[in-house]
């Protein structure tokens, strides 16, 4: 049941007054996530930008039950909450027919690196939880340190740029790929979402929440201070990431990978890089190397899907 | 907030949980703004994109009728909530008909 932008409910569960940066991508993602989930939802949020800026004591921007846990255990706490709800339903303390959704949210640091073990456990035990990772490609809350999802060539405070280190030779590949993590755990649903594609994102949230079992959603979340870009470029950068093949909107369901935003002709990756100050130091040779890494990633996705959904670079 | 107005530990709920959400509405993020988005209601085609793309939920969707000069009637109107708009400008950039302009504050 794909919905259009008109069908997104007006009711807000993440209200104004939160302290996320102007133009933050996570704000857009979270607003639509809680709209899709509705009011019978328990949020478990790991430490990160979203946690510190939406619940600035004594203020909270959430209208739904919300709990903050440490970096490493958002998935574990969500598993426990889901198990507790099951037990309370069995004992008849909560109406067994009541549909209560549990959503865990972590940043890329709290998911790709620190919380990876807990996430793996949650996926493997099969808890009925939706785990959403909003990926701003570094530890932005603590001051832009590199994480497991920092792309090739990006500047961060722990990967400084000098004469010798230009591309980040510490890291040969593009980034850790969550799709293969999801496939390895054989979970019922995995999707990547991008705030520039609102209806696609909302549909995936709705679909994920209707499926029973562990679900993982990987969201592209542009970061204004960390990516060194203008405040109004959030959506532009998100769209450009899809059009250049850096980011692929896809979903993995019942063992089948489907690309939801096919790109017949890709733009050169330079179009995406030039919008962001964190890639300012790159020379044409460096960009050629990044282009090669993106080509390899796209070829890998095309191979899994079985046809050319992401086309060649337009000349 | 001065220290004399701060609540003591006895009056706080257990675990200092916030029991009357959402309290963040007390904090007006509109003071962060340097540029103010202004919607031209004549040009606006009610596509809902600014409302969807706003990270702060500061674009209000109101059940307010509006008739343009050319006679087109709309049943909803989009307005900016200046109490919370941080002035990022995403709405102005993404508006497909360029109905939103960014105006400098205090200028």
């Amino acid at each position: 049941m794909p919905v259009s932008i008109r069908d997104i409910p007006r009711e807000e569960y993440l209200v104004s007054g939160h302290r996320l940066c102007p133009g933050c991508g996570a704000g857009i993602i979270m607003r639509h996530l809680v709209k899709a989930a509705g009011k019978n939802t328990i949020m478990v949020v790991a430490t990160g930008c979203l946690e510190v800026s939406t619940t600035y004591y004594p203020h909270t921007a959430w209208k739904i039950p919300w709990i903050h846990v440490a970096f490493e255990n958002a998935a574990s706490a969500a598993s426990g909450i889901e198990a507790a709800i099951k037990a309370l339903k069995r004992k008849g303390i909560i109406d067994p027919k009541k549909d209560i959704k549990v959503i865990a949210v972590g940043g890329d640091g709290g998911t790709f690196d620190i919380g990876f073990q807990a996430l793996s456990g949650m996926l493997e035990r099969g808890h009925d939880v939706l785990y959403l990772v909003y990926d701003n490609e570094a530890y932005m809350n603590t001051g832009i340190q590199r994480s497991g999802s920092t792309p090739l060539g990006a500047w961060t405070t722990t990967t400084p740029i000098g004469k010798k280190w230009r591309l980040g030779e510490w890291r040969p590949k593009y980034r850790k790929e969550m799709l293969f993590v999801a496939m390895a755990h054989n979970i019922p649903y995995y999707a990547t979402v991008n705030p520039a594609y609102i209806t696609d994102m909302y549909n995936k949230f709705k679909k994920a929440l209707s499926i029973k079992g562990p679900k993982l959603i990987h969201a592209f979340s542009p970061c204004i201070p960390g990516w060194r870009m203008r405040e109004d470029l959030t959506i532009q950068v998100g769209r450009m990431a899809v059009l250049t093949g850096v980011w692929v909107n896809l979903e993995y369901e019942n063992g089948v990978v489907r690309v939801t935003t096919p790109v017949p002709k890709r733009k050169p990756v330079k179009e995406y890089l030039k919008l962001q100050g964190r890639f300012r130091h790159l020379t044409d040779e460096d960009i050629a190397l990044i282009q090669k890494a993106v080509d390899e990633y796209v070829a890998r996705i095309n191979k899994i899907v079985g046809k050319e959904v992401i086309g060649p670079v337009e000349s | 907030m001065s220290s004399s107005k701060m609540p003591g530990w006895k009056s706080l709920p257990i675990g200092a949980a916030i029991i009357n959400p959402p309290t963040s509405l007390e904090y007006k993020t509109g003071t962060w703004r340097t540029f103010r988005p202004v919607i031209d209601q004549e040009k606006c085609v009610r596509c809902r994109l600014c409302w969807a793309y706003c990270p702060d939920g500061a674009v209000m969707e109101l059940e307010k009728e509006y008739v343009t000069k050319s006679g087109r009637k709309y049943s909803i109107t989009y307005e900016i909530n200046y109490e919370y708009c941080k002035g990022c400008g995403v709405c102005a950039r993404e508006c497909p008909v360029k109905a939103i302009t960014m105006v400098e504050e205090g200028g």
Side-chain angles (χ1 to χ4, degrees):
Chain A
M1 28 89 238
V3 290
S4 80
I5 195 162
R6 298 263 163 226
D7 302 322
I8 301 177
R10 199 177 289 171
E11 176 78 29
E12 301 277 352
Y13 295 101
L14 172 65
V15 301
S16 310
H18 58 68
R19 271 77 145 181
L20 287 166
C21 303
C24 179
I28 308 171
I29 298 162
M30 292 307 146
R31 269 183 67 214
H32 291 281
L33 173 68
V34 281
K35 272 175 200 288
K39 68 176 183 347
N40 287 337
T41 305
I42 299 173
M43 291 288 286
V44 184
V45 180
T47 309
C49 287
L50 183 76
E51 178 264 315
V52 296
S53 50
T54 56
T55 55
Y56 200 94
Y57 194 78
H59 293 159
T60 178
W62 302 88
K63 272 187 181 172
I64 49 177
W66 186 96
I67 181 172
H68 162 231
V69 288
F71 254 128
E72 56 271 41
N73 60 357
S76 313
S79 309
I81 289 169
E82 190 261 348
I85 291 170
K86 236 190 230 167
L88 290 172
K89 277 183 178 171
R90 196 173 55 231
K91 289 178 181 169
I93 298 169
I94 306 180
D95 179 10
K97 284 191 201 99
K98 193 170 181 183
D99 183 23
I100 303 169
K101 295 178 173 95
V102 184
I103 300 177
V105 176
D108 58 300
T111 306
F112 284 67
D113 305 346
I114 312 173
F116 194 68
Q117 186 182 352
L119 173 69
S120 176
M122 186 198 93
L123 298 179
E124 172 264 324
R125 289 189 302 267
H127 291 281
D128 186 19
V129 175
L130 167 64
Y131 193 101
L132 182 122
V133 42
Y134 69 99
D135 182 2
N136 47 29
E137 304 189 336
Y139 289 82
M140 297 310 183
N141 175 40
T142 51
I144 323 171
Q145 289 88 7
R146 87 157 272 258
S147 79
S149 84
T150 304
L152 186 66
W155 163 89
T156 65
T157 51
T158 48
T159 53
I161 304 303
K163 270 192 190 134
K164 216 172 156 190
W165 278 20
R166 299 204 51 80
L167 249 186
E169 283 76 0
W170 38 268
R171 164 55 108 39
K173 287 270 157 37
Y174 201 74
R175 74 156 99 73
K176 195 188 274 189
E177 188 49 54
M178 271 291 163
L179 169 64
F180 304 116
V181 173
M183 283 173 133
H185 288 83
N186 207 5
I187 58 171
Y189 192 76
Y190 166 83
T192 56
V193 299
N194 189 317
Y197 296 81
I198 286 279
T199 41
D200 176 65
M201 179 166 87
Y202 187 80
N203 278 333
K204 282 171 177 167
F205 289 155
K206 270 278 180 211
K207 192 168 184 181
L209 288 162
S210 69
I211 292 169
K212 221 164 167 52
K215 288 89 61 174
L216 180 61
I217 290 187
H218 186 183
F220 182 86
S221 175
C223 173
I224 306 298
W227 294 11
R228 294 284 186 262
M229 60 184 199
R230 279 174 57 112
E231 292 169 345
D232 58 352
L233 284 177
T234 308
I235 300 299
Q236 179 72 12
V237 163
R239 191 177 296 125
M240 210 39 102
V242 170
L243 294 181
T244 55
V246 171
W247 184 266
V248 180
N249 278 340
L250 49 81
E251 59 183 1
Y252 166 74
E253 196 186 2
N254 303 326
V256 181
V257 178
R258 199 167 66 84
V259 172
T260 52
T261 318
V263 183
K265 278 260 187 234
R266 261 189 296 149
K267 283 190 169 28
V269 76
K270 197 177 176 181
E271 298 285 315
Y272 168 70
L273 302 179
K274 75 178 183 193
L275 294 171
Q276 303 165 49
R278 62 174 176 162
F279 294 115
R280 194 175 54 176
H281 58 280
L282 297 176
T283 60
D284 284 345
E285 286 163 25
D286 299 338
I287 292 174
L289 276 172
I290 294 181
Q291 181 68 59
K292 202 167 148 248
V294 172
D295 290 347
E296 276 169 22
Y297 170 64
V298 166
R300 210 169 162 193
I301 296 292
N302 282 340
K303 199 177 166 200
I304 293 168
V305 178
K307 60 180 180 212
E308 200 182 62
V309 275
I310 309 292
V313 181
E314 65 184 8
S315 48
Chain B
M1 203 187 279
S2 68
S3 59
S4 60
K5 277 187 185 169
M6 296 276 252
W9 64 272
K10 279 179 192 164
S11 59
L12 289 171
I14 293 171
I18 301 164
I19 50 175
N20 53 342
T23 46
S24 72
L25 291 173
E26 291 166 16
Y27 186 84
K28 311 287 186 217
T29 49
T31 54
W32 297 15
R33 194 169 61 233
T34 49
F35 282 88
R36 177 176 74 236
V38 177
I39 301 180
D40 183 349
Q41 298 294 350
E42 289 291 316
K43 274 192 192 169
C44 174
V45 291
R46 276 71 176 168
C47 66
R48 217 184 192 198
L49 279 177
C50 55
W51 173 87
Y53 282 143
C54 183
D56 293 285
V59 179
M60 299 180 291
E61 194 176 48
L62 304 172
E63 294 285 343
K64 206 158 96 180
E65 274 201 10
Y66 187 85
V67 185
T68 60
K69 283 191 189 114
S70 57
R72 187 145 183 210
K73 205 167 131 187
Y74 291 108
S75 58
I76 48 170
T77 306
Y78 291 93
E79 276 175 25
I80 309 282
N81 190 342
Y82 292 113
E83 284 191 340
Y84 301 107
C85 169
K86 292 171 185 163
C88 63
V90 167
C91 52
R93 180 172 278 270
E94 294 307 320
C95 180
V97 290
K98 300 277 166 252
I100 306 177
T101 43
M102 299 302 286
V103 181
E104 198 171 348
E105 286 285 350

